[in-house]
Amino acid sequence: MTKAFDVAVIGAGPGGYVAAIRAAQLGLNTVCIDEFKSEDGKASLGGTCLNVGCIPSKALLESSENYERALHKFGEHGIRVKDVSLDVAAMLARKDKIVQQFTSGIGLLFKKNKVTSMHGHGRLTGGGESYQIEVSNGGTSETVSAKHVVIATGSVPRQIPGLAVDNVRVCDNTGALSLKEVPGRLGVIGAGVIGLEMGSVWKRLGSEVTILEALPVFLGAADEGVSKEAWRIFTKSVGLDIKLGCKIGAVKAGKKSVSVQYEHEGTATVAEFDRLVVAVGRVPNTRGLGLETVGVKADARGFVEVDERNRTVAPNIYAIGDVVRGPMLAHKSSEEGVAVAETIAGQHGHVNLEHIPWVIYTAPEIAWVGRTEQQLKADGVAYRSGQFPFIVSGRARALGETAGFVKMLADERTDRILGVHILGPFASELISEAVVAMEFGATAEDIARIVHAHPSLSEALHEAALGVDKRFLSL
Ligand code: FAD
Ligand code: NAD
């Protein structure tokens, strides 16, 4: 007999597993179907984020930063360490352990919340009173039915036509997170978030890193002031060799190296790398999902079309996360998962896409929320700006991490905060105060009047708020 559910969630990434847990918490009989298998061929919950994305990349970023500190920064603290050496296998094992703990944790959360977990590929096969979903796993298949369906199938790396990824010599994010040894020369195609984060990891561990970017501008989505300073730091102090405006030609992978033909500033070049990482964006994943059988539409770029509350055109079918419009970020996926579960349960779920924070985990980190200065100019919005450098922050000095600044942009007339842009230590943590402030419709003066602990990095946000009214206390 077909198992019948109130809700079927397809995909157990940060969008899907959160949607399933919230739906079950709200009393809905919920199944979550996921097909992801880890390298050892075992089912592994958590999607891209936990298996081959956010979590493993942050583990390696931390390990590589510690290695670099031990090599180059401990000395200034008067700590002498001799014979610092690198054990890549141990570093990867630590990362894998963290991933394993988190992915198995999702299974426990499913049990605790009474979510039925099914491993296999989910395909919508028909509708009516409820929808049918065929779940196939190897040679076997089973069909379940559900009144509501949440599509949370995420994204996959965008491919460059004719460039085969084997995750040995030419890697996408999966291979880049598992290189068994430090490549002498690492090539990266794409100076986006993955290119910069993975480039930073392997640069710190000793690779010579060259990043080839198609666009003539660096980090175009970030505030121009931030991307300009980040460019200076990444190319000068960090030592990433980033080439903008590149046209990639033939890529040939050999047994020992990979050659990349590219054109840069009018000159054709062939570069030889030991490993190549391709990180040119991600595309929505709707492969074999059977959207057409239930009338769900995808747009020209393959994203499932949804309205502001993540409803598709098919009744009771929702889509969330990387497979729909908006930033491809784990926290955005999860919040959409919560909102959709609440909508299904008859509540009013909603996500404000205007206030999704962005973080790039380089050193220094980059984080922002809201609009950039160039967007405000383009939109013709009159604004005031306050910018405070970390070099004047006592805490940043104590940390020895003084690069960067906090910039706050506020409406000239109402003083309401329109954007906050941070380049500096723990920007990923500092940005939350700005998100909370903006969600509550705060003004720069509100932040300026709130007591911030001393000495803390958050004082830089306080000072940037004071700076909007040109009344810095420490500058
Ligand atoms: P996914 O996590 O992609 O999950 C989708 C799941 O659905 C997968 O398990 C997939 O196998 C499964 N699936 C697909 N189709 C089917 C089907 N038909 N049947 C059954 N199962 C199916 N974001 C951040 O916010 N912070 C970060 O620091 C960050 N770092 C990242 C680092 C890297 C290297 C990468 C690649 C991404 C990173 N991201 C980060 C982005 C983040 O991983 C994604 O935004 C997030 O995982 C999207 O969640 P999702 O649930 O929409 O989809
Ligand atoms: P991205 O969109 O951040 O960057 C891709 C870069 O590749 C762009 O700069 C683009 O211009 C460039 N590019 C595209 N085609 C090219 C070509 N043919 N030759 C050279 N350059 C080319 O994408 P990504 O780095 O692959 O990451 C994918 C997504 O994953 C991100 O957009 C983000 O949503 C998510 N992610 C987030 C984090 C985080 O939150 N810290 C970390 C990693 C990934």
Side-chain angles (χ1 to χ4, degrees):
M1 205 177 77
T2 308
K3 285 185 199 145
F5 294 90
D6 297 322
V7 182
V9 181
I10 309 179
Y17 81 74
V18 168
I21 289 171
R22 186 71 190 119
Q25 283 173 351
L26 291 164
L28 298 160
N29 182 16
T30 304
V31 61
C32 188
I33 301 154
D34 190 88
E35 67 180 346
F36 193 93
K37 281 192 174 84
S38 51
E39 265 177 27
D40 58 10
K42 290 194 185 136
S44 185
L45 298 168
T48 304
C49 168
L50 266 57
N51 287 288
V52 288
C54 324
I55 299 301
S57 59
K58 267 76 252 178
L60 288 186
L61 279 155
E62 190 60 33
S63 296
S64 60
E65 216 171 337
N66 278 335
Y67 177 63
E68 199 186 51
R69 279 189 196 115
L71 278 181
H72 305 297
K73 295 197 175 163
F74 279 5
E76 71 187 58
H77 291 268
I79 304 168
R80 310 271 172 246
V81 280
K82 271 196 196 148
D83 305 327
V84 177
S85 66
L86 187 62
D87 181 344
V88 178
M91 198 176 276
L92 295 181
R94 173 184 181 272
K95 175 223 29 156
D96 291 340
K97 191 172 169 202
I98 294 169
V99 168
Q100 200 277 328
Q101 283 165 338
F102 271 89
T103 53
S104 58
I106 305 297
L108 297 176
L109 286 173
F110 277 175
K111 276 205 184 96
K112 182 179 159 215
N113 288 283
K114 301 194 172 45
V115 172
T116 302
S117 180
M118 288 179 80
H119 178 71
H121 180 84
R123 186 170 69 90
L124 287 151
T125 53
E129 283 279 289
S130 54
Y131 292 98
Q132 290 81 52
I133 303 147
E134 181 192 71
V135 184
S136 46
N137 182 14
T140 61
S141 80
E142 185 181 349
T143 295
V144 297
S145 74
K147 288 187 207 128
H148 302 89
V149 176
V150 181
I151 297 168
T153 47
S155 63
V156 288
R158 191 165 81 76
Q159 309 273 338
I160 296 182
L163 205 178
V165 168
D166 58 9
N167 273 328
V168 179
R169 198 63 56 197
V170 181
C171 302
D172 57 20
N173 56 298
T174 301
L177 288 161
S178 292
L179 300 180
K180 304 278 179 277
E181 57 194 40
V182 180
R185 300 157 303 172
L186 178 71
V188 180
I189 304 185
V193 196
I194 295 180
L196 291 173
E197 290 187 357
M198 296 319 300
S200 298
V201 165
W202 294 105
K203 171 75 197 166
R204 289 169 197 162
L205 299 180
S207 298
E208 200 181 280
V209 178
T210 307
I211 307 184
L212 307 173
E213 164 62 43
L215 292 178
V217 289
F218 178 61
L219 280 183
D223 184 89
E224 267 171 15
V226 168
S227 42
K228 211 169 144 196
E229 182 61 4
W231 167 265
R232 199 188 61 75
I233 296 170
F234 296 163
T235 54
K236 300 272 179 322
S237 326
V238 176
L240 294 173
D241 181 8
I242 310 174
K243 299 188 193 303
L244 301 177
C246 292
K247 192 162 178 256
I248 307 293
V251 175
K252 287 197 189 108
K255 281 220 168 87
K256 293 211 164 132
S257 66
V258 49
S259 73
V260 179
Q261 278 183 17
Y262 66 94
E263 223 181 276
H264 180 240
E265 294 174 346
T267 309
T269 311
V270 181
E272 206 69 30
F273 302 113
D274 299 301
R275 294 277 190 280
L276 180 70
V277 172
V278 183
V280 292
R282 296 180 64 84
V283 291
N285 178 13
T286 55
R287 183 190 55 87
L289 197 52
L291 293 184
E292 60 295 342
T293 59
V294 290
V296 170
K297 295 203 172 97
D299 69 16
R301 293 187 302 154
F303 290 98
V304 174
E305 282 183 7
V306 288
D307 66 9
E308 71 292 351
R309 293 184 65 199
N310 293 87
R311 292 174 291 210
T312 69
V313 287
N316 300 329
I317 300 191
Y318 301 78
I320 59 171
D322 278 12
V323 80
V324 302
R325 83 287 177 264
M328 285 181 161
L329 297 172
H331 40 285
K332 178 263 191 184
S333 302
S334 297
E335 289 310 320
E336 286 184 333
V338 170
V340 155
E342 293 181 348
T343 300
I344 294 171
Q347 302 180 0
H348 191 91
H350 179 250
V351 179
N352 181 3
L353 292 179
E354 300 294 311
H355 295 163
I356 306 280
W358 271 90
V359 178
I360 307 178
Y361 293 82
T362 41
E365 291 182 350
I366 297 172
W368 74 88
V369 58
R371 284 188 278 174
T372 60
E373 221 169 323
Q374 63 266 26
Q375 281 170 336
L376 292 176
K377 281 182 189 149
D379 295 346
V381 178
Y383 64 93
R384 295 195 298 170
S385 153
Q387 183 167 319
F388 187 78
F390 281 108
I391 190 117
V392 196
S393 152
R395 188 69 199 278
R397 288 247 171 167
L399 281 170
E401 305 288 351
T402 52
F405 54 82
V406 177
K407 183 200 270 193
M408 185 176 288
L409 305 169
D411 189 286
E412 189 178 68
R413 195 175 54 82
T414 65
D415 195 37
R416 187 177 274 226
I417 303 168
L418 301 173
V420 174
H421 304 273
I422 308 175
L423 172 71
F426 295 103
S428 52
E429 302 296 333
L430 294 174
I431 200 66
S432 289
E433 179 180 351
V435 180
V436 172
M438 289 176 71
E439 275 290 279
F440 281 85
T443 60
E445 189 183 352
D446 289 328
I447 299 294
R449 287 188 182 279
I450 289 170
V451 182
H452 288 71
H454 174 78
S456 72
L457 295 171
S458 71
E459 286 172 301
L461 198 79
H462 186 223
E463 285 281 355
L466 286 162
V468 168
D469 199 30
K470 300 288 165 271
R471 52 191 185 101
F472 292 111
L473 291 173
S474 316
L475 203 61

